[in-house]
Amino acid sequence: MTFIGIEAGGTKFVCGAGTGPDDLADVTTFPTTTPEETLAWTRDYVTAHAGGLRAIGVASFGPLDLDPTSATYGYITSTPKPGWTFTDALGPLRAAADVPIGFDTDVNGAALAESRWGAATDVASCVYVTVGTGIGGGGVLDGRLLHGLSHPEMGHLTVRREPGDDFTGTCAYHGDCLEGMASGPAIATRWGKPGQQLTGSHLAAAVDLEAAYLAQMAAAMAYLLSPHRLVFGGGVMHLDGLLDAVRARTVDLLNGYIDVPAVTEQIDHYIVRPALGDHAGLLGAIALAADANP
Amino acid sequence: MTFIGIEAGGTKFVCGAGTGPDDLADVTTFPTTTPEETLAWTRDYVTAHAGGLRAIGVASFGPLDLDPTSATYGYITSTPKPGWTFTDALGPLRAAADVPIGFDTDVNGAALAESRWGAATDVASCVYVTVGTGIGGGGVLDGRLLHGLSHPEMGHLTVRREPGDDFTGTCAYHGDCLEGMASGPAIATRWGKPGQQLTGSHLAAAVDLEAAYLAQMAAAMAYLLSPHRLVFGGGVMHLDGLLDAVRARTVDLLNGYIDVPAVTEQIDHYIVRPALGDHAGLLGAIALAADANP
């Protein structure tokens, strides 16, 4: 059991042991209840798999304190999730096993996993975006996760409204930022039902709006970060035709300014789906464990 | 003459020899005329300073081909500047001296120089933005310049229009992107005179609009890149009150979501002016030379 990965999500925690996609055992899912109960499960999982353990990786919903010099390093910080504000995610694990612990956002973990084993193994940098209950993104540049003052919070980008769109947006902080206009809850609020129940002209209109806003994010990443690949995952990306629509709108928006063939001629290879499927989050945590292992 | 730096700008080229801000000699400026004439001057400068030379750095206007595996590495590529499209900027220098040559965008060079000697020496990452004839940005993360598929083109970010602003924008590619709405030429077109000639209510209105659009860029960087510091330079930033207005609008726009004291409590240290003044571009080139020296 070289590594343990813990994917800490807002609705469920997933634990697994192994070294990668072809070596992943004892995958176990817990519902996210109280911090005490949920973290006790992760602690017990570690205790049960402590033999030969070399490192643990935790890929968590955020925001997180990732500053190793901070007194609250390893905490989930100002999350709106009830009961979880300023939760020490790593303390219970440290008590269970004296091994290095890698800790990062779920989306940075997924970016690392896609870069190592998935949709971006052939390029030096990628950004992973998830479009679901929220919108978030993580990045890997030359094998290193994107960090600075804090971790990225890509979902809250200011977007330009599509003509005629007067939806107020669902973001508690910003109203009509990208997440407020294009997350799963935004679709559900806008149309009165979840995206996967939309059909016909409503589906077409929803896909068109989603593509318009997500293309602004793709273009912003191309302008500010210039990654080699953009990986778009999350439940909303399963809307029929959305990925192709995002590709087309991104090309339109860039309008030839990023004049490299990867964008102008091979957009289908520039904006892609994740390759690791349901285990991307857990594999992100395994990758964080591997990188924490000295 | 350890290093030669060449700042290649759209209106002038500046050459200098030395190792940093306290050791900079023979600073020489040429007007940017034809590529042949201008690059011959740089070649002659190198020839005249070849004794003891260890490396050359070129910090250039772009777009540039920075892919070392490309046949056109070292070229200024699809620039709209007449006569300069697909110009080999390094060829004449290679002919003059057999030393390593560092090559990057002017703004990446400036970011590196500010990070090494200027306004961001105390932090691990920074973004340098210039707001002038165009708008551009470069970044340093953990001492490394921000590169990916290409270099960043930060000025072309899609921005949300301010209410009541019906200006069409000046960007040849995008019309009303950030550069189209907030560059020096945008101000001049909007008001019929350059920003530095504006007074009274026109100045106040111009500063307000500039701040609104530049704050969107600052917020986008905080969300996507999370740098430790944003350095705003360029002629437009000399408008009276603009830097403070950008700070205030950025705090408003983030609305507490990036919940770190550096942003919420110390915005005056988060968004700052360059510290290297008129020599920032040249020092960027010197820094590129130093980094090219093995």
Side-chain angles (χ1 to χ4, degrees):
Chain A
M1 295 305 166
T2 312
F3 304 128
I4 288 174
I6 300 172
E7 177 191 5
T11 57
K12 63 181 166 59
F13 273 50
V14 184
C15 298
T19 56
D22 301 325
D23 170 32
L24 200 55
D26 290 356
V27 177
T28 309
T29 299
F30 315 116
T32 308
T33 60
T34 64
E36 295 72 22
E37 186 175 52
T38 314
L39 295 176
W41 284 325
T42 65
R43 183 198 62 210
D44 294 347
Y45 186 93
V46 170
T47 302
H49 297 80
L53 184 64
R54 294 173 62 191
I56 300 169
V58 179
S60 178
F61 72 94
L64 308 178
D65 186 341
L66 298 180
D67 176 359
T69 69
S70 164
T72 52
Y73 172 79
Y75 279 54
I76 297 167
T77 59
S78 57
T79 176
K81 188 170 175 61
W84 283 80
T85 306
F86 281 89
T87 294
D88 180 6
L90 305 189
L93 306 178
R94 288 200 194 96
D98 183 21
V99 296
I101 304 179
F103 181 57
D104 216 308
T105 62
D106 43 10
V107 280
N108 258 349
L112 192 61
E114 291 291 342
S115 173
R116 191 159 298 172
W117 300 304
T121 57
D122 57 328
V123 287
S125 63
C126 76
V127 167
Y128 173 91
V129 177
T130 180
V131 188
T133 307
I135 298 180
V140 175
L141 307 181
D142 290 325
R144 296 150 60 101
L145 285 167
L146 189 59
H147 289 139
L149 184 63
S150 179
H151 50 78
E153 288 285 2
M154 301 191 184
H156 294 266
L157 185 72
T158 305
V159 287
R160 177 183 296 183
R161 280 174 177 276
E162 278 289 282
D165 184 6
D166 59 1
F167 182 57
T168 52
T170 60
C171 174
Y173 282 84
H174 310 112
D176 57 359
C177 67
L178 176 67
E179 182 171 296
M181 297 302 273
S183 63
I187 295 175
T189 304
R190 201 190 271 275
W191 301 100
K193 60 177 81 167
Q196 65 267 33
Q197 293 178 20
L198 296 175
T199 55
S201 63
H202 284 187
L203 174 60
V207 164
D208 193 49
L209 279 177
E210 286 292 310
Y213 294 123
L214 295 174
Q216 291 188 42
M217 184 195 213
M221 289 191 285
Y223 288 135
L224 269 60
L225 270 164
S226 193
H228 288 81
R229 189 158 295 151
L230 304 177
V231 182
F232 272 82
V236 170
M237 291 309 299
H238 293 297
L239 287 181
D240 199 30
L242 179 54
L243 187 71
D244 277 336
V246 171
R247 289 167 171 157
R249 291 293 293 248
T250 302
V251 170
D252 285 352
L253 193 55
L254 294 172
N255 198 25
Y257 193 76
I258 305 289
D259 188 19
V260 291
V263 176
T264 55
E265 297 168 17
Q266 301 182 301
I267 193 73
D268 291 1
H269 297 278
Y270 183 63
I271 297 179
V272 303
R273 293 193 190 281
L276 296 174
D278 290 345
H279 281 164
L282 176 56
L283 287 168
I286 294 281
L288 293 171
D291 285 4
N293 182 48
Chain B
M1 296 305 167
T2 312
F3 304 128
I4 289 174
I6 300 171
E7 176 191 5
T11 57
K12 63 180 165 60
F13 274 50
V14 184
C15 298
T19 57
D22 301 324
D23 170 32
L24 200 54
D26 289 356
V27 177
T28 309
T29 298
F30 315 116
T32 308
T33 59
T34 64
E36 294 72 24
E37 186 175 53
T38 313
L39 295 176
W41 284 326
T42 66
R43 182 199 62 209
D44 294 347
Y45 186 93
V46 169
T47 301
H49 297 81
L53 184 65
R54 293 173 62 191
I56 300 168
V58 179
S60 177
F61 72 94
L64 306 177
D65 186 340
L66 298 179
D67 176 0
T69 68
S70 163
T72 53
Y73 171 78
Y75 279 53
I76 297 166
T77 58
S78 56
T79 176
K81 188 170 175 59
W84 283 80
T85 306
F86 280 90
T87 295
D88 180 6
L90 305 189
L93 306 177
R94 288 200 195 96
D98 183 23
V99 296
I101 305 179
F103 181 57
D104 216 308
T105 62
D106 43 9
V107 280
N108 258 349
L112 191 62
E114 291 291 343
S115 172
R116 191 160 298 173
W117 300 304
T121 56
D122 58 327
V123 287
S125 63
C126 77
V127 167
Y128 174 91
V129 177
T130 180
V131 188
T133 307
I135 298 180
V140 175
L141 307 180
D142 290 326
R144 296 149 60 101
L145 285 167
L146 188 59
H147 288 138
L149 183 63
S150 180
H151 49 78
E153 288 285 2
M154 301 191 182
H156 294 266
L157 186 71
T158 305
V159 287
R160 179 183 296 184
R161 280 172 177 277
E162 278 289 283
D165 184 5
D166 59 1
F167 181 57
T168 52
T170 60
C171 175
Y173 282 84
H174 310 113
D176 57 357
C177 67
L178 176 67
E179 181 170 296
M181 296 301 273
S183 63
I187 295 174
T189 305
R190 201 189 271 277
W191 301 98
K193 60 177 80 168
Q196 64 267 33
Q197 293 178 21
L198 296 175
T199 56
S201 62
H202 284 188
L203 174 61
V207 165
D208 194 49
L209 278 177
E210 286 292 308
Y213 294 123
L214 295 174
Q216 291 188 42
M217 185 194 211
M221 288 192 285
Y223 288 135
L224 268 59
L225 268 164
S226 193
H228 288 80
R229 189 158 294 151
L230 304 177
V231 182
F232 272 82
V236 170
M237 292 309 299
H238 293 297
L239 286 181
D240 199 30
L242 179 54
L243 187 71
D244 278 336
V246 171
R247 288 167 171 156
R249 291 294 294 246
T250 302
V251 170
D252 284 352
L253 192 56
L254 293 172
N255 197 25
Y257 193 77
I258 305 290
D259 187 20
V260 291
V263 176
T264 56
E265 297 168 17
Q266 301 182 300
I267 192 74
D268 290 1
H269 297 278
Y270 182 62
I271 297 179
V272 303
R273 293 193 189 282
L276 297 174
D278 290 344
H279 282 164
L282 176 56
L283 287 168
I286 294 282
L288 293 171
D291 286 4
N293 182 47

